[in-house]
Amino acid sequence: MGDHTDNISEEINQILRSRLTAVLATQGKEGPWTTLVSFSASEDMTTLWFATSRVTRKFANLNWNSNVSMLMDTRTNSVSDLYSASALTSIGHARELHDTERENALALMKEQHEYLSAFLSSPTVAIIQVNIRKYILVTSFQNVREVTVHD
Amino acid sequence: MTDLIIPLKKITEAHKDISGGKAWALSRLLQHGIHVPEGLCITTHAYRTFVNETGLDNRILMEMNRKSFNEMRWEEIWDLSLRIRNYFLSTSIPPWIRKTLKEDLKKRFSNVPVVVRSSSCSEDSAETSFAGLHESFVNVTGEESILQSIKLVWASLWSDTALLYRRELALDVKKSAMAVVIQELAEGQRSGVAFSINPLKKNESIVESVWGLNQGLVDGSVEPDRWIISRENGEILSHKEPSLRDITIVAAEKGTASMKSKNGEIKKPPLNRDEVKDVFLLSQKSEEYFGSPQDVEWTFRNNDLFLLQSRPITSISGEDDNRQKYLSLKVSFDELKRLRFKIEQELLPEMDREADNMTTLDIQDLDDKDLAVEIRKRMDILDKWNLTYTRDFIPFAHGTRLFGRFYNDTMSPDDPFEFVLLLKGTEMKSLKRNNALLGLARRLKDDPELRGKLEMGQEIPSELKEQFNSFARDFSLSSGETLESSKKRAARFILEMSALSEQPLRGTSSNSDLYNSFISHFQDDGERSLALEYLDLGRASWKLRDDDNIYLAAIENEVNRAILEGKKRIDWIRSMPSSELTGEDVSICLENHNYQPVNRSSVSPLDNSSKRSSAAFFRQATGQPASPGTGTGKARVIRNKGDLMAFKKDEIIVCDAIEPDMTFIVPLAAGIVERRGGMLIHGAIIAREYGIPCVTGVPGAAEIIKEGSTVTVDGYLGIVIVEN
């Protein structure tokens, strides 16, 4: 994958479609907090969704500070990751979905993460939508490109 | 014995994949009764174990993947291979491998001089010949020296020439591995090569021979006697003697040395008719054994004929061998010394004379026809020097590289580019010119009245006026702007520069400690004087890398002066953008005022990189760390020479490539970012001289960095960070 060619959307899309989980970073009273979450992405890549129980620390953190960051990467836990893995950081604003919005997102998530359908169907689970402000893509160890989605 | 090291006579079919082409061929011939000096093969298994256990394999891959290989210029590939070579030099062989190799080497070669040769896996097959691309060491004695040579042969798998050749053949460098052959040095009195089939005529064979060792014949520095032999009946068809047999290569205390030939050898061919036939028969025997035409190296030691190596001939049809292109990247010490003499004693003085002649000619006195002739004459002169630049000046840059390798082999420094510290500080023309400019700026700072005069465009004292006018004139000629406008902009620029006047140059400290430590490494007078010769050559090459551009620019400016004069004379041209007219157009217009030139779109030479547009904002980009330090400032994107005078102190230069007539802005810069890559290119050299952080080889630098954005140049890591 070239680092300076005009295919950043394609590169981001490829990472979003190929990854099942992301590292979610939230901020709470006790400081930063990271967890793994299963996620889905909208076709236009402006929105990400994930699900969480309402009793989790991440959910509490989201109520405290709704700014989040999510990391998806292609590492394989080998040295070659340093030059061949890509890391996509997304920065955005999170909110819980309700009613129709929730139903639509839930359907999409169930389709993509069939194995989670029992979890997703639980009434205690919140569906969180992240509106992406910016993507930052790191390739070849030190090449960093940014794309602003929503100002 | 393990499969790390195997005697040639014990190599079997099972070892074919780990012995490499050369060792495999020698083992077959040896076991087939052909007279081959006995020896050992350090297998590819030893190479792989070494790079794997020391982590060198991953470090190499990190270097190789720093930037897309296809986006690298040759200079960057050379830098890359120097870094990798240094890794090999500074990485110790793990104790157990070392013990295994050392024991066998001691048993077989205790105090016996040997040759250490590459035997790479894909090497010497009929499809891909790597002959000459990897390294060999002749006359090495003692286990420690042999182990060091083995590491250098391993490293040569990653040499610039080998990397480029593999790229051309689309071979996967990650899968490359290298075996090494170590044989007793057969110190022959007569040596040579033989082609079992003449690549140009299939019913003939060729035997070539020189006195002494055949290194000179192989690298082209010694001309051989040459015999053509009929393959049918072994009759000698012709014998061509060399123009001179004045040089013989012999074994020195270490390595080889070229000596004046003995009197008896100068007049006499090294081989008699019977011996020519013996060599011919040896080549036929090798061909018969391998079933394909062979290129054989041989030597006579006390009348015993030894075969040194045999490999398939790759181009029977006489087609161009691409390998030659890459082999030409290797230039020997002796060739560089000859080249230096030619450049310093003949070419540069001639360039000076030619530029002077043009400067003194008053072109305003010429009539239109004579001016047209003068423009053409000057363009021809420039063409001639551009060719000389490619033919002689660019290859001389290898002097710097040769010293770099010599220094690294001697000192094994952590930083493979440490040697540059010993080269810098030599009086470069551009530095002298920039210092003169700084002197002028300093005067302005100390003299408010003078400053006021310059600001107002009033008369300034004659000794300063001359210097100021010359600066403005050069800028006018290279940018195409009028002299009047150039003067205004030059005044503004020098005023900007006066802010610098109290600051000492950052990169001009002396490097006497490094020099002393380098020189004290040589105990022997002969070795020390050779080291000084390498350093002297390196310094001359380093200085010329900058000066040659200045000499060329002086000629270029004179061509432009004549063309500008031509443009001024032709009224109707004034309504067209002058950049659209070539010198040839101007000449024709002067001869024929009705001539309508073809409208050409102008492309600035500074703006010739591939266009890159992207929705992405490049927050951080990777290049080569070309001058250490960090600097932050506003980006000034230089797209053409007219942009230079707008440069302000503490800005970051962002450009395609720093040309010699652009360097006057460098002392003002907080950092430099260039598309053109390399540690030893013009911009990098000047940046290091001034101690300004510089990153080169950033793809599309002038397109991905926007004018005015805040940029940080990290010259240690070779990265550029852009604030949004």
Side-chain angles (χ1 to χ4, degrees), chain A residues 3-8 79-80 82-83 134 136 140-148, chain B residues 58 61-62 65-66 612-622 699 704 717 719 724:
Chain A
D3 289 318
H4 296 273
T5 46
D6 190 20
N7 57 359
I8 187 161
V79 178
S80 63
L82 274 172
Y83 49 83
K134 191 187 271 186
I136 299 106
S140 303
F141 188 36
Q142 294 189 119
N143 284 325
V144 187
R145 283 169 290 167
E146 294 183 1
V147 180
T148 301
Chain B
N58 284 321
L61 286 179
M62 280 292 286
N65 286 281
R66 186 177 175 81
R612 289 160 196 274
S613 62
S614 172
F617 160 67
F618 286 77
R619 158 83 187 158
Q620 185 175 303
T622 314
I704 64 175
L717 292 176
I719 55 175
N724 204 346

Side-chain angles (χ1 to χ4, degrees), chain A residues 46-145:
Chain A
T46 60
T47 313
L48 302 179
W49 296 282
F50 65 90
T52 175
S53 159
R54 291 193 185 83
V55 294
T56 58
R57 189 179 324 212
K58 58 178 161 299
F59 188 77
N61 283 352
L62 289 174
N63 280 326
W64 196 77
N65 184 340
S66 58
N67 289 316
V68 296
S69 178
M70 291 171 80
L71 174 79
M72 303 86 174
D73 65 79
T74 62
R75 84 196 117 132
T76 57
N77 201 28
S78 65
V79 178
S80 63
D81 286 339
L82 274 172
Y83 49 83
S84 62
S86 302
L88 178 68
T89 299
S90 54
I91 297 169
H93 180 264
R95 68 181 172 92
E96 185 181 352
L97 297 181
H98 299 283
D99 307 325
T100 319
E101 278 188 327
R102 183 182 195 277
E103 291 312 311
N104 291 342
L106 192 60
L108 184 78
M109 286 203 74
K110 278 185 176 171
E111 194 186 311
Q112 284 182 6
H113 304 279
E114 226 182 297
Y115 50 92
L116 282 179
S117 56
F119 170 76
L120 292 169
S121 304
S122 164
T124 55
V125 163
I127 302 296
I128 309 294
Q129 172 166 312
V130 180
N131 293 323
I132 301 298
R133 281 207 315 275
K134 191 187 271 186
Y135 283 111
I136 299 106
L137 180 63
V138 183
T139 53
S140 303
F141 188 36
Q142 294 189 119
N143 284 325
V144 187
R145 283 169 290 167

Side-chain angles (χ1 to χ4, degrees), chain B residues 579-600:
Chain B
S579 59
E580 291 185 11
L581 292 180
T582 64
E584 184 56 31
D585 284 339
V586 174
S587 285
I588 302 172
C589 288
L590 286 168
E591 285 164 342
N592 170 10
H593 291 198
N594 297 321
Y595 172 71
Q596 288 293 333
V598 180
N599 195 7
R600 296 177 181 86

